[in-house]
Every structure is written in C-alpha cells, then in structure tokens.
Amino acid sequence: MSRFRDELWQVVDGVYGEILAHPFLTGLTDGTLPREVFRHFVVQETHFLPDYARALAACGVKAADPAAVQRFAGDAARTVEVEHSLHVELLAAFGMGEDDARREGATPTTVGYGSYLLRACHLGTFPEALGAIVPCYWIYARVGEALLKQSSPDPLYAWWIETYGSEHYQETVAGVLDLLDEVAATLPETERERLCAHALTTARYEWLFWDAAWRRESWPI
C-alpha cells in the first residue's frame, strides 16, 4: 500500500541528493570541513531555531486533532530546550556564547527561511503548514542516518552527526511522518499539491542553509 510520504519524498528527493553531495556534508564526514564554516552554520542555527519553534507552535494551533496539537506543542518546546542546549554547547566549543552569536546577526538565507516558514504556518491551512515544516524534520533525519554510517574523524562533527542519526530523533520524525500520511489521506488533490509545493520550497531552503554556511554568507551591503 502506497503512503503519501513516499509520494512527497519523490518531490524532494532530488534536492536531498544535492544536499548529501554538498561539500559541507562531505566535509563533515571526512573531517575536512573548515571549523570556521561549521561555526558559521552553528551561529545561523542559533538564529533559525527560535523561528522554527514558533512555526511548529503555529502548526499545532492549526491542527484539529488534539494529539497533533500536543505533538507540535511538545516539539516546539523540545526545539527550544534540547536543540537550544545543543547549540549552546557547540557555540562553547568555539569560545562563544549566545550573545556573541546574536551580535553576528542572521544572514539573508536564515531570515528568508524563517520568514517563509512563519508565513506558511500562520497564513496557510494545517496541511500547508505541515508541508512547510516536514522537510526540516525529515531531511535532518535522513542526513543523520546517512552520515552516521561513516561518522567523522572530527569529534565535534561526529557529535553533531550522532545527534540527528540517533534512534530517538529517528523515532520523533517517524511519528511526524505517520501524522503526515494520516492527514494527507483525506485531502483533495489540490491541497496535496499545495502541501507538496511548500515542502519543495523548504527542502530547497535546507540546501541553501548549508550552502550559505559553506560560502560564509553575509549581507552584501
């Protein structure tokens, strides 16, 4: 029996392939990624995660099913608590604190991605919001799973890989995908198409986020 998640993955699979082949991720696994590039990534994640948590909370508000409300409210809280804690520790590895990261500011890609998510989740339907937030969950899980097979000779990079390749994170994402299949089963084709369109856009933003770190993106003026 086909699942909607399989249909959606066909939409984003090409982008995922480009993500796995990106020098940021190949550099993570072989240990050649310059530390300054990873530092840039961590700083931008510190700016992005609060917006992602807000998007998750907004998605939960749209849900009719109390279990879905609870899931996204809980994931929003965990994003703030758990991933925030991870990034505080990663910043500390570079001798930085959150105030240092805030002083560096968010780059164009970070602002654009966060703004798109919040717009989709506040102004769209629940399926549209779900489509917008799923790629961040899912692509990180697939990346973590793929990179965990190789890990990294750099202990800091290996730690990051283990976080997203962990069984706990994989289980979290599996629950979201189960919900995705359930919601999509009752949707008319037009709404499924809108859901897929949002997912493709945010999958592309995932690639852009890693590429921006690789380029050490900054505002041109």
Side-chain angles (χ1 to χ4, degrees), residues 174-192:
V176 175
L177 295 177
D178 288 342
L179 175 62
L180 173 71
D181 288 337
E182 182 182 333
V183 169
T186 62
L187 293 179
E189 187 60 29
T190 53
E191 284 200 63
R192 289 162 70 109

Side-chain angles (χ1 to χ4, degrees), residues 165-211:
S166 70
E167 184 177 346
H168 175 72
Y169 187 73
Q170 299 296 323
E171 288 174 354
T172 296
V173 175
V176 175
L177 295 177
D178 288 342
L179 175 62
L180 173 71
D181 288 337
E182 182 182 333
V183 169
T186 62
L187 293 179
E189 187 60 29
T190 53
E191 284 200 63
R192 289 162 70 109
E193 288 173 357
R194 285 197 294 270
L195 187 160
C196 288
H198 281 296
L200 179 58
T201 297
T202 54
R204 286 168 167 163
Y205 264 119
E206 286 293 320
W207 183 90
L208 284 169
F209 199 90
W210 275 303
D211 189 65

